[in-house]
Amino acid sequence: MISTLLTPQNGPGGDPAPRLAYGADYNPEQWPREVWEEDVRLMREAGVNLVSVGIFSWARIQPARDEWDFGWLDEVMDLLHAGGIGVDLATATASPPPWLTTAHPEILPVTASGETVWPGARQHWRPTSPVFRDHALRLVRKMAERYAGHPALVAWHISNELGCHNIYDYSDDAAGAFRDWLRARYTTLDSLNHAWGTAFWSQRYSDWQQILPPRLAASHPNPTQQLDFKRFSSDALKEYLCAERDVLREVTPDVPVTTNFMVMGGTKGMNYPDWAGEIDFVSNDHYVHPGPQDRDELSFSANLTSGIADGLPWFLMEHSTSAVNWQAVNVAKRPGDLARDSLLHVAHGADAVCFFQWRQSAAGAEKYHSAMVPHAGADSEVFRAVAALGDTLRELAPVAGSEREPAKVGIVYDWDSWWASEQDSHPTSLLDYRQEALDWYSALLSLGVRADIVTTRTDLDRYDLLVAPVLHVVPAPLAKELARYVETGGHLVTTYFSGVVDENDHIWLGGHPGALRDLLGIRIDEFGPLLDGETVRLEGAGTDTGTGSLWTDRITVTDPSTEVLASYRTGTYAGMPAVTRRPAGRGSAAYVSTRLGAAGLAGLLPELLAGAGVESELPPSARGRVEQAVRHHGDTRYVFLVNRTDEPVPLPGVTGELLTGGTGTEDGLVLEPRGVAVLRQSAH
Ligand code: GLA
Ligand code: GLA
């Protein structure tokens, strides 16, 4: 559906063929009228064909309760259309105006300790406030009625980064909605009391009205209450998303609807796999956090976004041309990074490359955030790089609409396990779910092995090797599904703190990991978490040079067929198993009981990959230096080759029709330092 989003209805400049979208958030209300003309001219120069407009325009569109000012936006829409630029039009509900919060302070969120989140920034609204919803939906309807049929309108952009600042609200509205949510989940108080384990610490409820969000408490709040509050909070925003969507679908049934997700480091409140089915196409925002794994993290996030979109194309709705404004130190991108970062998203399924924002603000909290047109204007390195990327994306037009070609390795990313494994009062507070998954991904990248990040909703049978790091929450049906996966030939690898609890965060008793014990052919009778900085040595299966940190387990092998791939060489469990693998059915189930980190996993993975019959698709000399991602359209494959190094990398034997990047040689291809090449190949 989204590959046709930019077809000719979008004005005189529109191409009839699908193309990749290119653009940014566009905030013309921050600029005098005369700048708008220059904006459109420069957009055309840069190859921009899509902008998101109106995201923070509520106060401008509706200056008072019954006053509307659409004139300026009409003009912007018309100007963009005349320039051949499509509009992803925001519903403008992201930041309620001062007149609304003054009249209705009861829409403001409340923190766990009872403080009001005051206006002055943005997203100061309660997802469950009926008053906020009335006002917001009234605006959505006005917007939809006003711009229905406008030729520039190509998609609706609901709100903005739902949950970025307001995912957790502990207000009385939230308390009421939480109770409704719990009634729907548990039906009876008895069932809730059981699920929450309220026999503990005298927490038994005798009336629904007694139940509260996990507000500031004297000690550790009930863990299942916390977990359910996380589930509820994600659902509450999803429900809000659906309410806006329903208005849009009623008024403009033919215009696709999206909202920008935030699949990136540091964001975990929104269960996006669960949201994805509610919108017409997935969009994501991503910002680089500078550090040793930063581009691996970018690739991981793009890859996970593709998993959330179930391999269909998605939109990169925001990223940055250079520095952001909200990190401790806001590092400018190096030459080449703007293009490589963008194309890495395209490699993983993005059909749009958009930035925050078009023109760098002169005032406001984001005035030091980079943009497509920086403070310096068009005569700048950034704008030249922006225009060059516009040319590259034109060369890549044939890629639009193509889907992910599944890899042989899948890494399971599960929100319930993420939420539950990082709660308080656990064996360690140092566990980092996302980091563990990222380390497996980094290790596979370093070996040149392509992997898909998938969710528990994905068809797992696509994968020969399935890595499920810290799969902490394993309800009985998932345990059965994993056993079936292995029986029928799949090779499963899981890690410490997996299979420990059910969906209510109750321990599977009888020895860990209860839900996966038989499948793994091991039993753990005590966890051995390590102090910060403490490490253990291992031996066997390529683990000799690495160290384990964070966690160890006291493992007994319970099935004679379980192989001990590696053992502890030091520490409390010296001489005992550290990594095991049990052949089962036509597949196998392996367990890694400590945190090996990306380098340590790169030592162990060859054994696990060999067991599953998975090999790198890259020439040996390029493994680790090049990342490969593949999209396809029927029998046509688009192979993205991304140079991860600062040196040229030859790819002997790699051939195909070069759409962009790289230099063809007699026996293959050479990638420029940090360059990206895209080849078109036929699957036959
Ligand atoms: C988010 C928001 C944008 C902007 C950028 C800055 O992605 O959606 O409005 O604040 O962050 O990085
Ligand atoms: C204190 C409390 C107990 C229990 C332990 C846990 O001693 O009295 O109820 O919480 O701490 O260490």
Side-chain angles (χ1 to χ4, degrees):
M1 160 165 233
I2 60 170
S3 61
T4 54
L5 219 66
L6 296 167
T7 42
Q9 74 271 23
N10 307 316
D15 296 321
R19 52 185 171 153
L20 296 171
Y22 188 42
D25 285 10
Y26 179 40
N27 298 304
E29 67 269 43
Q30 295 177 16
W31 297 95
R33 172 69 182 79
E34 57 274 16
V35 176
W36 302 354
E37 309 273 353
E38 193 199 37
D39 284 333
V40 174
R41 184 176 62 73
L42 289 177
M43 284 177 194
R44 291 181 63 89
E45 204 176 306
V48 164
N49 54 30
L50 182 86
V51 289
S52 298
V53 178
I55 294 175
F56 297 105
S57 304
W58 193 342
R60 178 79 191 260
I61 291 169
Q62 190 184 9
R65 195 186 179 287
D66 291 308
E67 223 177 280
W68 300 90
D69 177 8
F70 284 110
W72 68 277
L73 186 52
D74 293 350
E75 207 178 330
V76 168
M77 295 286 284
D78 294 347
L79 266 176
L80 289 166
H81 176 61
I85 295 154
V87 175
D88 167 54
L89 186 58
T91 55
T93 56
S95 193
W99 63 260
L100 177 56
T101 50
T102 305
H104 294 287
E106 73 274 24
I107 72 172
L108 300 172
V110 176
T111 66
S113 49
E115 297 150 311
T116 298
V117 176
W118 294 103
R122 62 175 173 185
Q123 218 173 58
H124 39 274
W125 51 272
R126 301 179 185 177
T128 57
S129 162
V131 176
F132 176 75
R133 190 171 296 201
D134 280 354
H135 282 274
L137 295 187
R138 186 163 167 247
L139 171 60
V140 174
R141 186 171 293 278
K142 283 270 188 196
M143 292 288 287
E145 285 169 355
R146 182 85 184 185
Y147 296 105
H150 193 289
L153 176 65
V154 293
W156 286 112
H157 180 293
I158 289 182
S159 195
N160 189 61
E161 291 190 342
L162 288 164
C164 178
H165 314 294
N166 66 348
I167 179 69
Y168 297 122
D169 163 44
Y170 300 80
S171 66
D172 289 343
D173 281 334
F178 187 36
R179 284 178 206 123
D180 292 343
W181 184 93
L182 291 166
R183 262 186 227 265
R185 183 175 175 91
Y186 295 111
T187 316
T188 66
L189 265 185
D190 275 353
S191 148
L192 176 139
N193 277 310
H194 166 74
W196 284 20
T198 57
F200 180 83
W201 279 356
S202 188
Q203 293 173 351
R204 185 166 189 86
Y205 295 98
S206 57
D207 191 307
W208 291 97
Q209 283 307 115
Q210 298 160 356
I211 301 172
L212 295 168
R215 290 176 177 162
L216 179 66
S219 175
H220 306 292
N222 181 304
T224 316
Q225 177 191 16
Q226 291 191 58
L227 182 57
D228 273 349
F229 188 66
K230 293 185 174 93
R231 292 169 172 151
F232 153 77
S233 297
S234 177
D235 282 0
L237 271 174
K238 181 180 72 169
E239 209 222 302
Y240 175 79
L241 164 70
C242 293
E244 282 208 18
R245 178 207 59 196
D246 290 347
V247 173
L248 297 169
R249 287 209 177 142
E250 184 196 322
V251 184
T252 55
D254 298 329
V255 180
V257 171
T258 193
T259 190
N260 45 343
F261 292 173
M262 311 165 65
V263 178
M264 62 177 129
T267 307
K268 76 174 194 187
M270 290 69 76
N271 184 347
Y272 292 130
D274 181 51
W275 291 23
E278 304 294 353
I279 46 181
D280 295 311
F281 62 95
V282 166
S283 300
N284 195 48
D285 296 352
H286 184 273
Y287 291 94
V288 172
H289 289 70
Q293 273 174 297
D294 52 15
R295 265 57 191 195
D296 291 4
E297 192 284 329
L298 188 163
S299 171
F300 179 91
S301 293
N303 195 322
L304 173 55
T305 305
S306 177
I308 290 166
D310 202 20
L312 296 174
W314 50 276
F315 267 37
L316 177 65
M317 201 58 99
E318 292 179 24
H319 68 150
S320 66
T321 57
S322 190
V324 299
N325 66 300
W326 43 263
Q327 293 168 354
V329 177
N330 297 299
V331 177
K333 288 193 179 183
R334 298 177 305 169
D337 282 348
L338 183 153
R340 185 178 60 168
D341 291 353
S342 298
L343 296 178
L344 203 41
H345 287 285
V346 178
H348 287 288
D351 262 8
V353 171
C354 298
F355 294 98
F356 176 83
Q357 59 178 328
W358 165 251
R359 187 181 281 278
Q360 186 168 18
S361 299
E366 297 184 319
K367 59 183 175 294
Y368 294 112
H369 194 294
S370 61
M372 293 175 94
V373 181
H375 290 150
D379 181 11
S380 57
E381 269 318 292
V382 165
F383 188 75
R384 281 184 279 275
V386 158
L389 178 58
D391 292 338
T392 304
L393 293 175
R394 260 195 294 266
E395 293 167 347
L396 288 177
V399 169
S402 60
E403 300 178 10
R404 157 143 112 183
E405 181 185 272
K408 295 202 175 342
V409 180
I411 298 176
V412 179
Y413 203 82
D414 178 53
W415 258 253
D416 246 18
S417 285
W418 190 7
W419 289 340
S421 66
E422 293 184 359
Q423 291 202 145
D424 58 70
S425 55
H426 277 187
T428 177
S429 58
L430 303 177
L431 186 148
D432 185 336
Y433 178 88
R434 198 177 204 270
Q435 185 62 48
E436 182 64 36
L438 176 59
D439 283 345
W440 283 89
Y441 189 68
S442 280
L444 287 159
L445 280 175
S446 74
L447 298 172
V449 175
R450 193 152 69 85
D452 293 346
I453 319 288
V454 300
T455 75
T456 40
R457 292 163 183 256
T458 309
D459 174 10
L460 303 179
D461 288 329
R462 287 178 199 158
Y463 300 99
D464 296 341
L465 179 70
L466 196 63
V467 183
V470 195
L471 190 65
H472 183 59
V473 180
V474 179
L478 178 57
K480 236 173 114 181
E481 168 61 11
L482 292 173
R484 190 205 53 77
Y485 168 77
V486 167
E487 278 302 315
T488 55
H491 296 273
L492 174 72
V493 180
T494 189
T495 72
Y496 59 89
F497 216 33
S498 294
V500 171
V501 298
D502 67 10
E503 65 277 23
N504 294 325
D505 199 23
H506 292 199
I507 303 288
W508 288 105
L509 297 174
H512 308 298
L516 303 172
R517 200 167 55 214
D518 293 343
L519 184 62
L520 295 166
I522 58 168
R523 182 168 179 274
I524 292 160
D525 64 356
E526 189 162 27
F527 300 131
L530 300 177
L531 292 170
D532 201 6
E534 189 182 357
T535 56
V536 290
R537 305 301 302 252
L538 279 70
E539 59 192 338
T543 63
D544 302 49
T545 52
T547 54
S549 62
L550 183 79
W551 197 281
T552 59
D553 283 314
R554 193 162 63 184
I555 299 176
T556 313
V557 166
T558 53
D559 184 302
S561 65
T562 304
E563 308 162 69
V564 176
L565 297 181
S567 303
Y568 289 110
R569 191 141 56 90
T570 61
T572 312
Y573 306 139
M576 297 186 73
V579 180
T580 63
R581 180 172 57 197
R582 173 177 170 255
R586 292 194 280 122
S588 68
Y591 184 76
V592 181
S593 64
T594 185
R595 174 164 187 231
L596 291 172
L601 291 171
L604 172 65
L605 263 164
E607 171 71 37
L608 301 173
L609 290 163
V614 177
E615 284 170 13
S616 169
E617 300 158 290
L618 289 169
S621 61
R623 292 177 193 167
R625 303 164 73 197
V626 172
E627 172 177 352
Q628 183 179 11
V630 186
R631 298 178 60 166
H632 74 141
H633 220 145
D635 284 345
T636 307
R637 307 175 82 218
Y638 299 99
V639 179
F640 287 72
L641 296 153
V642 183
N643 187 345
R644 308 171 74 220
T645 77
D646 293 338
E647 272 121 51
V649 178
L651 288 160
V654 174
T655 54
E657 181 197 347
L658 199 54
L659 294 182
T660 194
T663 314
T665 63
E666 246 168 45
D667 70 332
L669 183 69
V670 178
L671 295 179
E672 295 135 34
R674 283 181 275 140
V676 180
V678 184
L679 292 170
R680 177 158 49 192
Q681 295 174 344
S682 167
H684 298 299

